[in-house]
């Protein structure tokens, strides 16, 4: 009676969640419980392990592209949509914290723009480019995915961004994209793209307020040349060289600890 066995197990882990909450679960157990609501009559333990192995973490699972999720054996379209919705819900809740009582989000400074950008893209496992259209009061009118990329790169086409600005009648554009590696340091190509987008927008009378590159809870702002950390209530601001020095120091410290660990 396989179904009754699975039903009993499902009931036990649901009761555990009701009694002790999510903190009583390891990631694979929590994902297993989550999957029971998408897959009614099947043991979801093995699938939870497969998903975590494939995408590296619980965050990686719920922020993966639907098409990528469906490549995992046992994940159909409805399950993939269900999982992706969990990540989108978390992202939306983070964005709601930035809104005022009327639900509007104003981005009047690089720090505010960095918080918004990190809320949008910090969990994305693929490089993604967004064009944020702002009105004259710097209120977000729309946030449009210009193009998605691979794990390591996405092409940014200035013409597409200019078309989005014209369509939304934007006063200005905030361009944001993420580095899935977690390092917001801009590349030479990022700098060249910024200037190309700026020129394309100026030709139609639209301002490029900033280009923000997200890496984890940090973001690089081209308008200031600074790296902004937004994990806490107060933003931390670093020069690019100071940020890179801190990262190098942390990497060295990690290496020193690892050489003492047993194989």
């Amino acid at each position: 009676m396989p179904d009754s066995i699975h039903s009993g197990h499902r009931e036990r882990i649901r009761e555990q969640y009701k009694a002790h909450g999510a903190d009583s679960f390891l990631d694979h157990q929590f994902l297993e419980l989550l999957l029971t609501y998408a897959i009614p009559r099947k043991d979801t333990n093995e699938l939870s392990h497969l998903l975590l192995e494939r995408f590296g973490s619980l965050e990686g699972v719920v922020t993966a592209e639907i098409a990528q999720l469906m490549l995992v054996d046992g994940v159909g379209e409805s399950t993939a949509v269900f999982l992706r919705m969990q990540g989108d819900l978390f992202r939306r809740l983070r964005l709601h914290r930035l809104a005022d009582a009327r639900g509007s989000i104003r981005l009047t400074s690089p720090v505010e723009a960095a918080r918004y950008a990190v809320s949008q893209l910090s969990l994305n496992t693929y490089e993604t480019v967004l064009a944020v259209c702002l009105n004259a009061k710097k209120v977000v009118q729309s946030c449009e995915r210009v193009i998605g990329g691979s794990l390591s790169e996405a092409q940014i086409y200035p013409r597409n961004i200019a078309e989005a600005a014209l369509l939304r009648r934007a006063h200005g554009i905030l361009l944001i994209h993420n580095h899935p590696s977690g390092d917001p340091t801009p590349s030479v190509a990022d700098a060249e793209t910024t200037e190309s987008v700026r020129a394309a927008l100026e030709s139609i009378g639209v301002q490029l307020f900033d280009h923000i590159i997200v890496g984890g809870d940090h973001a690089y702002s081209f308008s200031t040349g600074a790296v902004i950390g937004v994990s806490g209530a107060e933003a931390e601001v670093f020069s690019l060289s100071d940020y890179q020095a801190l990262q190098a120091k942390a990497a060295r410290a990690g290496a020193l600890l690892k050489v003492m660990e047993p194989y």
Side-chain angles (χ1 to χ4, degrees):
M1 305 286 287
D3 285 352
S4 62
I5 293 172
H6 298 326
S7 297
H9 178 61
R10 287 165 185 246
E11 188 59 31
R12 285 192 295 274
I13 59 177
R14 288 174 184 175
E15 287 299 321
Q16 179 183 341
Y17 179 78
K18 286 161 60 178
H20 304 290
D23 290 342
S24 66
F25 289 81
L26 298 174
D27 281 356
H28 75 273
Q29 295 169 322
F30 187 79
L31 182 56
E32 177 187 356
L33 173 60
L34 192 63
L35 286 167
T36 65
Y37 291 92
I39 303 173
R41 293 183 179 84
K42 186 179 178 183
D43 180 12
T44 57
N45 180 274
E46 183 179 352
L47 181 56
S48 70
H49 284 283
L50 285 174
L51 285 164
L52 288 170
E53 288 172 10
R54 170 68 177 81
F55 297 104
S57 67
L58 192 56
E59 289 181 359
V61 172
V62 298
T63 57
E65 299 291 337
I66 290 172
Q68 293 297 317
L69 287 166
M70 291 176 63
L71 293 176
V72 178
D73 188 33
V75 177
E77 182 178 357
S78 61
T79 300
V81 169
F82 177 79
L83 289 171
R84 176 66 195 211
M85 285 179 66
Q86 311 311 309
D88 286 339
L89 175 62
F90 179 72
R91 179 180 57 82
R92 182 164 291 194
L93 291 174
R94 290 183 71 176
L95 288 169
H96 280 327
R97 296 176 187 171
L98 306 179
D100 60 22
R102 293 174 296 180
S104 298
I105 298 177
R106 292 187 69 204
L107 305 177
T108 60
S109 72
V111 168
E112 291 174 348
R115 288 194 187 281
Y116 179 85
V118 167
S119 296
Q120 283 281 14
L121 293 180
S122 64
L123 298 181
N124 279 38
T125 52
Y126 281 69
E127 191 160 347
T128 304
V129 181
L130 302 177
V132 185
C133 298
L134 306 177
N135 66 16
K137 294 183 178 180
K138 312 278 193 318
V139 172
V140 175
Q141 298 295 94
S142 70
C143 179
E144 307 193 16
R145 180 170 171 165
V146 180
I147 194 167
S150 66
L151 284 169
S152 59
E153 64 179 11
Q155 295 295 321
I156 300 176
Y157 297 103
R159 178 180 175 180
N160 293 353
I161 297 167
E163 288 175 351
L166 287 171
L167 182 64
R168 299 297 180 181
R169 299 181 180 178
H171 177 75
I173 290 287
L174 174 67
L175 181 65
I176 62 178
H177 84 276
N178 64 309
H179 286 174
S181 66
D183 183 359
T185 302
S187 65
V188 172
D190 290 331
E192 292 173 347
T193 296
T194 302
E195 293 311 309
S196 296
V197 171
R198 191 188 309 280
L201 290 174
E202 285 179 353
S203 70
I204 58 172
V206 177
Q207 182 179 351
L208 177 65
F209 289 120
D210 209 339
H211 179 188
I212 303 286
I213 301 176
V214 174
D217 287 327
H218 289 79
Y220 177 80
S221 160
F222 269 96
S223 71
T224 63
V227 176
I228 304 168
V230 295
S231 58
E234 297 294 327
E236 296 180 291
V237 181
F238 308 90
S239 69
L240 185 56
S241 59
D242 285 347
Y243 174 80
Q244 291 171 330
L246 284 171
Q247 294 302 105
K249 183 178 180 181
R252 287 195 297 272
L256 289 173
L257 289 174
K258 286 181 180 178
V259 297
M260 301 301 293
E261 295 176 359
Y263 292 115

